[in-house]
Amino acid sequence: MVEVYEFWTIIVTLVVVKLCHWIYKWRNPTSNGKLPPGSMGFPIIGETLEFMKPHDAFQLPTFLTKKILRHGPVFRTSLFGARVIISTDIGLNMEIAKTNHVPGAPKSLARFFGENNLFVKSKESHKHVRNLTSQFLGSQGLRLRMIQDIDSLARTHMELGAKNGGLDIKETSSKILIECLAKKVMGDMEPHAAKELTQCWGGFPRGWFRFSWSIPGNGVYRMLKARNQMMNLLKETVLKKRASGEELGEFFKIIFGETEGGSKKMSIENAIEYIFTFFVIANETTPGVLAATVKLINDNPRVKQELQREHKRIFQDKTEKDEADLTWEDYKSMTFTQMVINESLRITSTVPTMLRIVEHETHVGDYTIPAGWIFMGFPSVHFNPEKYEDPLAFNPWRWEGKDLGVILSRTYMPFGAGSRLCLGAEFAKMQMAIFIHHLCRYTWSMKTETKVLRRFILMFPRGSDVQISEDTEVDNSAVY
Ligand code: HEM
């Protein structure tokens, strides 16, 4: 009996020692030099709960400000089970973004996008699909292929909203985006297939940053299930169309190498996986930023007034010329709107916009960042009073006389930097401008209770509804 007792005592002691050692190693990771200061939090969950606490979307999270005060601009932590370096040092952020290529995402996200996704598989395949996508979403592509569709979809949805007395900005923007991209990928779709696709997106679980475990019922499980459903739906539609000789959309043709001069063909699976990635990223970003922008406009009557003035001028101009559709020149003439969008992108950038896996050991000052850690670069320069006077104020006029087409500079990086710089930046800005343009055809106001929070992604716990009435000085019965 005593022997059994001793045996178990030894086992338990060994387990406790091993566990203590593991916890010690967890809390005190090693590197070839001195690690940036910081703490790794609790085993496995690290400091994830604090990091993911919802915060005012227009201010940097308290987690970050507290840590900067304690440790300085570069510190270590642990999030979603991974070792992470967080940096607000612009020089370091730019260097890491330029010299590292692998996206810094938790494992759950890598699984969600697919292990064979050409976007992550190799530098060459990434470059190839990036080049293809630029044909579609670069200025030339937007001007030739996108502006008309976005214009017509925004107009239609806004008219419907006006008839119903209002609409939800985020939801409507998402519908416009998906309908537009679906058409570009699938070509004309049968109404039931289009409806199924939109519904599938509508029910898509939100929030990518999660722990990597997939357990029936949990977030990652639901994400992966929704991914499979969506991929099957896309694949089925593509295969059916190809079998019946129907034409697919121009984006699919570009991706699949079927356009003139298109060379490398890719498998249907690869093409679908890439298209899926693209839909998800687009849908997760622009609708939220647009809804937050509308909230900022609504809460700043001077801005709203100036916008109404700008768009009224465009409506009148078009009515006089008897023109129906918005042109690229009309879009480019929306100077104040572009100032509003730049300012909104500055103030809503309260998340890291440069995410990479550190590929090679990197030195910053006295510190060493080991290879393999996740790097999260915050664009906190957006809130630096030396660069932006009164940085928490929403002030579009600060953009007066500046380059309004900017998507990246040393003081402005809402779309990241380096080889992973956002591919949809110009498209997102255009979609937002055209949406605001059509909204300004009406008298509108956002519900006062609207709240904009961030929990990594933008959240609208009380929706993002605007009330719209046809009572306006703009003649909506005219051609325009
Ligand atoms: C306001 C809206 C948007 C914001 C704020 C935004 C922001 C970003 C950021 C911060 C990155 C990561 C860059 C990095 O790691 O350095 C990114 C990447 C990306 N974005 Fe956007 N994005 C927006 C809209 C869009 C849209 C509409 C699309 C597609 C139509 C899109 C497609 C992409 C793609 C494909 C990547 C990955 C690029 C790569 O890995 O090469 N984004 N975006």
Side-chain angles (χ1 to χ4, degrees):
M1 193 63 196
V2 173
E3 275 170 18
V4 172
Y5 177 76
E6 277 177 356
F7 172 76
W8 279 111
T9 309
I10 291 168
I11 294 291
V12 170
T13 311
L14 282 176
V15 170
V16 170
V17 169
K18 184 90 189 143
L19 197 66
C20 289
H21 179 65
W22 180 77
I23 292 174
Y24 178 82
K25 279 189 75 177
W26 169 272
R27 298 183 71 107
N28 300 284
T30 50
S31 88
N32 290 332
K34 192 166 143 198
L35 276 171
S39 71
M40 306 303 278
F42 295 106
I44 301 173
I45 58 169
E47 298 186 309
T48 311
L49 300 181
E50 223 184 317
F51 179 77
M52 290 299 275
K53 245 189 212 157
H55 62 91
D56 179 347
F58 307 132
Q59 290 193 23
L60 289 170
T62 321
F63 171 82
L64 188 75
T65 43
K66 265 196 203 160
K67 289 276 184 185
I68 295 172
L69 266 180
R70 195 176 315 152
H71 304 300
V74 182
F75 60 91
R76 71 170 190 265
T77 181
S78 165
L79 305 172
F80 306 100
R83 293 167 168 183
V84 176
I85 296 291
I86 291 186
S87 160
T88 56
D89 177 315
I90 282 313
L92 179 66
N93 291 0
M94 289 296 241
E95 188 197 322
I96 296 276
K98 273 191 202 147
T99 53
N100 293 268
H101 179 72
V102 182
K107 280 192 189 121
S108 57
L109 194 55
R111 280 167 72 189
F112 181 54
F113 284 145
E115 314 277 323
N116 287 323
N117 196 317
L118 294 178
F119 233 64
V120 281
K121 205 164 180 197
S122 71
K123 253 188 181 169
E124 290 66 39
S125 63
H126 171 254
K127 200 169 163 197
H128 176 55
V129 283
R130 251 190 102 92
N131 285 341
L132 294 178
T133 312
S134 305
Q135 287 179 32
F136 191 63
L137 289 184
S139 304
Q140 191 70 351
L142 292 181
R143 181 201 289 247
L144 296 175
R145 298 184 162 107
M146 302 297 274
I147 188 165
Q148 269 194 4
D149 290 283
I150 289 288
D151 176 37
S152 128
L153 282 163
R155 181 196 312 247
T156 310
H157 279 279
M158 212 61 76
E159 278 168 4
L160 200 68
K163 266 195 199 120
N164 295 334
L167 49 76
D168 183 291
I169 299 283
K170 189 161 153 274
E171 209 175 85
T172 310
S173 161
S174 173
K175 275 189 198 153
I176 294 173
L177 198 60
I178 297 306
E179 281 172 33
C180 172
L181 290 179
K183 187 173 166 212
K184 297 293 170 194
V185 173
M186 305 294 170
D188 292 323
M189 283 172 89
E190 284 174 29
H192 78 89
K195 199 170 165 201
E196 202 180 340
L197 190 74
T198 321
Q199 270 173 355
C200 205
W201 279 110
F204 217 79
R206 305 223 44 230
W208 300 337
F209 277 72
R210 299 168 190 267
F211 286 96
S212 53
W213 318 298
S214 170
I215 304 162
N218 82 349
V220 176
Y221 179 86
R222 278 185 284 120
M223 258 164 67
L224 294 175
K225 198 168 151 203
R227 166 197 155 84
N228 290 344
Q229 246 178 356
M230 179 62 65
M231 296 271 289
N232 287 340
L233 187 64
L234 290 172
K235 195 170 168 185
E236 239 172 59
T237 316
V238 168
L239 291 178
K240 235 192 229 167
K241 283 203 144 195
R242 289 180 80 79
S244 62
E246 279 177 79
E247 215 173 319
L248 282 150
E250 37 194 339
F251 188 38
F252 187 87
K253 287 194 220 157
I254 292 176
I255 291 292
F256 204 58
E258 286 184 345
T259 44
E260 213 178 307
S263 51
K264 281 188 209 165
K265 283 230 188 283
M266 59 173 89
S267 68
I268 294 261
E269 281 74 18
N270 277 157
I272 297 287
E273 200 162 53
Y274 173 62
I275 285 161
F276 166 79
T277 311
F278 200 72
F279 270 39
V280 174
I281 296 181
N283 193 43
E284 188 85 9
T285 47
T286 317
V289 178
L290 179 59
T293 308
V294 172
K295 165 76 176 157
L296 288 164
I297 298 169
N298 185 72
D299 292 355
N300 290 275
R302 249 186 86 214
V303 174
K304 192 172 173 188
Q305 208 175 23
E306 189 59 40
L307 274 175
Q308 302 279 108
R309 199 173 301 148
E310 175 162 284
H311 291 287
K312 194 175 155 203
R313 176 188 50 77
I314 299 173
F315 304 133
Q316 278 172 349
D317 200 32
K318 296 205 72 72
T319 312
E320 274 164 25
K321 289 191 202 152
D322 207 13
E323 277 179 7
D325 300 329
L326 268 184
T327 61
W328 186 253
E329 288 67 35
D330 294 326
Y331 164 53
K332 284 290 167 190
S333 76
M334 298 175 190
T335 314
F336 188 68
T337 311
Q338 291 180 56
M339 285 157 59
V340 168
I341 291 169
N342 283 0
E343 179 67 349
S344 164
L345 283 161
R346 177 188 73 80
I347 213 168
T348 53
S349 290
T350 47
V351 264
T353 56
M354 284 151 281
L355 294 135
R356 299 287 188 281
I357 304 283
V358 181
E359 288 168 58
H360 313 284
E361 190 174 279
T362 305
H363 300 276
V364 46
D366 291 345
Y367 301 122
T368 302
I369 302 176
W373 285 50
I374 287 184
F375 179 90
M376 292 187 174
F378 272 82
S380 48
V381 63
H382 291 192
F383 296 90
N384 181 341
E386 283 170 24
K387 307 290 178 198
Y388 294 96
E389 196 188 323
D390 194 5
L392 292 179
F394 177 67
N395 174 14
W397 286 276
R398 68 170 94 240
W399 291 91
E400 215 150 23
K402 305 235 168 83
D403 170 15
L404 297 180
V406 65
I407 55 168
L408 171 65
S409 76
R410 276 189 80 82
T411 52
Y412 191 64
M413 40 201 69
F415 295 107
S419 63
R420 297 261 166 205
L421 176 70
C422 176
L423 265 170
E426 285 190 61
F427 176 49
K429 287 175 87 171
M430 185 185 85
Q431 198 210 334
M432 285 162 69
I434 294 178
F435 191 99
I436 292 170
H437 171 74
H438 285 290
L439 185 61
C440 289
R441 279 167 60 192
Y442 302 93
T443 301
W444 64 272
S445 66
M446 193 166 223
K447 287 197 175 159
T448 39
E449 68 263 27
T450 309
K451 244 184 145 40
V452 192
L453 299 176
R454 249 204 201 281
R455 191 168 176 260
F456 207 93
I457 55 166
L458 286 166
M459 299 194 308
F460 300 82
R462 295 180 196 153
S464 54
D465 290 344
V466 285
Q467 286 156 338
I468 303 182
S469 81
E470 303 244 22
D471 159 34
T472 166
E473 286 175 53
V474 177
D475 182 7
N476 279 322
S477 64
V479 186
Y480 199 71

